[in-house]
């Protein structure tokens, strides 16, 4: 990390027309932890510049001008899912007309497709298939490791881990050990949605509940795997639900230190059972990034996922608390089934341009945030 860049802050002094923000700004400047009520006040404030100033202060304390991205590929092995979540446009019931399940050879081949530059990460998530055995997923991972040994495998959300363990009639601990032995290097942050029961019952009734998601994350970290965490916002949750979600993550992070990155995900209503809801606004998206940065004082990274909020908003987020904009992705299905108008993927050079134009310094990372150095068609990771 560039320490000169980090030490030159802060540049401006805090100003606000919202008196509720004054005591919060004092705490942020002193590096003190924010409370539940502080979180609600931040969400309710209309002074986005003041909220953003505070989030930017924290972001620059941690990372200076660096903005992280990676060169990754998403693989979604199946869209067959037992869970029928109202929030989702991707999952299909077994037997429906437009289901797909990749044969293993097809998944391995897909992994190598559309590559203009060497990827450093496979991001693997999919539906909860009622019939695919645990070993299908382990074979998938083993086959990827055999073919692409240099690529980090970030696979299976807490929801998938809990489901696969149950299907394979084993404990979560055992499932995690077998995942690790097969070649899983870390886990993505999906399936967290909103932990509050009242909301979870409506948007994703058939998934593990919030407590189980958090327990599975604890076990994942205990098994030595890092994971990410997400929150789905912009549907029927309120400010208190969002703060509750963030503080529950913060509490687990205090215990385990195993979360790597937090990614707020804006809800895309199209083609879901909640299609009547409006899309989140720019104000909500940018505030979500800033409040996450401020409340999650023990998370190193806040990612503004360009696929979700658009490349333009991800770029602006780099001045409102985010330090990461995710990667090239190459092929995205989950939000595109829900009406996302963003491109399926971006080239490395597009990500670099977004970051440079935001006045930040691009830092190509691997999944563990180590520097990646590239030649034309290969890469090395700093150790
Ligand atoms: O868990 C599903 C969300 C998640 C919709 O860990 C939807 O680096 C919006 O978790 N509108 C999966 N969101 C994606 C995910 C993720 C993405 C990027 C990076 C990482 C990471 C993780 O997508 C699901 C759910 O919360 N989702 N349907 C929808 N209609």
């Amino acid at each position: 990390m560039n320490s000169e860049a980090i030490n030159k802050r802060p540049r401006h002094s805090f100003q606000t027309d919202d008196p509720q923000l004054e005591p919060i700004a004092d705490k942020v400047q002193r590096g003190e932890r924010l409370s539940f009520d502080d979180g609600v006040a931040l969400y309710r404030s209309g002074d986005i510049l003041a909220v953003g100033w505070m989030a930017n202060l924290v972001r620059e304390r941690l990372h200076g001008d660096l903005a992280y991205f990676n060169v990754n590929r998403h693989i979604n092995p199946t869209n067959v899912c037992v869970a029928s979540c109202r929030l989702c446009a991707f999952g299909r019931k077994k037997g429906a007309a437009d289901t797909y399940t990749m044969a293993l050879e097809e998944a391995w081949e897909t992994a190598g497709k559309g590559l203009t530059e060497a990827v450093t990460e496979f991001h693997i998530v999919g539906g909860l298939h009622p019939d695919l055995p645990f070993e299908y997923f382990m074979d998938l991972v083993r086959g990827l490791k055999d073919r692409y040994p240099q690529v980090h495998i970030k696979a299976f959300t807490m929801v998938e881990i809990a489901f696969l363990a149950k299907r394979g009639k084993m404990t979560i601990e055992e499932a995690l050990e077998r995942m690790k032995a097969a070649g899983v290097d870390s886990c993505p942050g999906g399936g967290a949605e909103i932990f509050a029961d009242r909301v979870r019952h409506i948007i994703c009734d058939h998934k593990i509940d919030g407590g189980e998601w958090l327990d599975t994350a604890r076990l994942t970290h205990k098994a030595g795997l890092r994971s990410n965490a997400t929150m789905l916002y912009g549907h029927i949750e309120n400010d208190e639900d969002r703060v509750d979600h963030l503080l529950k993550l913060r509490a687990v992070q205090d215990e385990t230190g195993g979360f790597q990155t937090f990614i707020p995900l804006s809800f895309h209503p199209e083609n879901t059972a909640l299609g009547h809801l409006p899309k989140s606004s720019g104000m909500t998206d940018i505030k979500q990034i800033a409040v996450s940065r401020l409340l999650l004082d023990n998370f190193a990274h806040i990612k503004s996922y360009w696929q979700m909020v658009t490349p333009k908003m991800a770029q602006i987020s780099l001045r409102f608390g985010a330090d990461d904009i995710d990667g090239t992705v190459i092929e995205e299905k989950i939000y595109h089934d829900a009406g996302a108008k963003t491109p399926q993927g971006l080239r490395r050079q597009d990500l670099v341009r977004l970051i440079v134009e935001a006045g930040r310094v691009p830092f190509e990372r691997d999944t563990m945030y180590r520097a990646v150095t590239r030649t034309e068609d290969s890469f090395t990771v700093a150790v």
Side-chain angles (χ1 to χ4, degrees):
M1 194 174 300
N2 178 346
S3 56
E4 256 176 55
I6 294 170
N7 291 335
K8 75 177 192 226
R9 318 288 169 180
R11 288 173 301 201
H12 319 284
S13 58
F14 179 74
Q15 287 180 344
T16 184
D17 53 17
D18 179 351
Q20 299 257 46
L21 295 184
E22 298 280 3
I24 300 178
D26 289 343
K27 283 191 188 175
V28 171
Q29 289 177 95
R30 288 196 299 264
E32 281 173 29
R33 180 159 271 197
L34 301 185
S35 67
F36 188 98
D37 290 344
D38 294 333
V40 174
L42 287 166
Y43 275 122
R44 302 243 162 105
S45 178
D47 192 350
I48 187 63
L49 289 181
V51 175
W53 185 91
M54 290 186 264
N56 192 52
L57 178 73
V58 176
R59 180 243 188 267
E60 291 186 351
R61 258 184 211 150
L62 289 167
H63 306 290
D65 273 329
L66 299 182
Y68 304 90
F69 70 98
N70 72 349
V71 176
N72 63 349
R73 189 191 218 294
H74 283 210
I75 305 170
N76 306 119
T78 179
N79 67 351
V80 176
C81 190
V82 295
S84 304
C85 296
R86 286 195 183 87
L87 67 90
C88 184
F90 171 70
R92 303 280 187 280
K93 280 272 162 266
K94 183 181 157 187
D98 48 355
T99 57
Y100 75 86
T101 298
M102 291 180 183
L104 288 172
E105 284 294 344
E106 187 189 350
W108 297 326
E109 201 185 303
T110 302
K113 262 194 211 155
L115 289 186
T116 49
E117 46 221 343
V119 299
T120 61
E121 172 191 279
F122 292 133
H123 169 123
I124 307 173
V125 295
L128 308 178
H129 196 297
D131 305 325
L132 283 178
F134 186 81
E135 274 313 306
Y136 163 91
F137 294 96
M138 298 306 106
D139 287 343
L140 170 67
V141 170
R142 269 191 292 268
L144 288 172
K145 267 284 177 231
D146 285 350
R147 287 163 181 78
Y148 313 96
Q150 74 286 10
V151 179
H152 179 109
I153 298 188
K154 185 177 79 180
F156 313 127
T157 65
M158 299 305 113
V159 173
E160 289 168 278
I161 296 170
F163 179 79
L164 290 176
K166 202 166 171 190
R167 256 199 64 68
K169 297 191 174 42
M170 63 187 89
T171 62
I172 288 177
E173 287 92 329
E174 200 182 334
L176 287 163
E177 285 312 316
R178 289 173 67 170
M179 279 166 47
K180 273 170 47 182
V184 171
D185 297 303
S186 72
C187 299
E193 320 311 0
I194 283 277
F195 295 138
D197 284 343
R198 178 183 56 77
V199 178
R200 211 169 171 88
H201 281 151
I202 296 170
I203 65 170
C204 58
D205 202 16
H206 308 284
K207 270 187 188 158
I208 53 173
D209 67 25
E212 289 168 315
W213 191 99
L214 291 162
D215 283 343
T216 309
R218 280 188 185 94
L219 292 174
T220 301
H221 301 166
K222 201 168 157 208
L225 289 170
R226 305 293 305 266
S227 75
N228 290 339
T230 56
M231 175 173 90
L232 187 73
Y233 67 91
H235 41 88
I236 56 163
E237 86 289 1
N238 61 27
D239 294 334
E240 284 81 358
D241 297 325
R242 293 178 191 172
V243 175
D244 171 72
H245 188 96
L246 294 172
L247 295 198
K248 282 186 170 132
L249 288 173
R250 188 171 79 179
V252 172
Q253 181 74 331
D254 277 344
E255 283 172 43
T256 69
F259 288 121
Q260 186 122 274
T261 305
F262 176 72
I263 311 128
L265 300 171
S266 77
F267 177 57
H268 285 49
E270 218 173 286
N271 303 324
T272 74
L274 300 170
H276 58 286
L277 294 175
K279 274 191 182 159
S280 66
S281 68
M283 187 78 165
T284 301
D285 288 342
I286 210 76
K287 203 187 276 177
Q288 187 52 58
I289 289 287
V291 179
S292 307
R293 180 59 285 167
L294 289 166
L295 289 187
L296 295 177
D297 54 16
N298 52 6
F299 275 63
H301 301 284
I302 304 292
K303 187 191 284 184
S304 184
Y305 182 34
W306 66 264
Q307 282 277 4
M308 203 47 121
V309 291
T310 75
K312 290 179 185 184
M313 286 298 284
Q315 186 185 39
I316 302 289
S317 307
L318 293 174
R319 294 262 157 199
F320 282 78
D323 59 274
D324 191 319
I325 57 172
D326 203 77
T328 46
V329 179
I330 302 180
E331 189 181 14
E332 203 291 317
K333 295 187 199 294
I334 297 177
Y335 317 110
H336 285 85
D337 280 359
K341 302 288 182 283
T342 48
Q344 287 271 333
L346 284 179
R347 292 168 305 173
R348 184 182 182 282
Q349 71 203 62
D350 301 324
L351 297 170
V352 167
R353 186 177 58 84
L354 287 172
I355 293 171
V356 170
E357 283 186 11
R360 298 300 195 191
V361 177
F363 184 104
E364 184 181 343
R365 59 166 180 88
D366 73 346
T367 312
M368 310 311 282
Y369 287 83
R370 293 172 302 199
V372 172
T373 313
R374 238 164 229 288
T375 56
E376 193 131 320
D377 55 2
S378 69
F379 63 84
T380 50
V381 174
V383 279

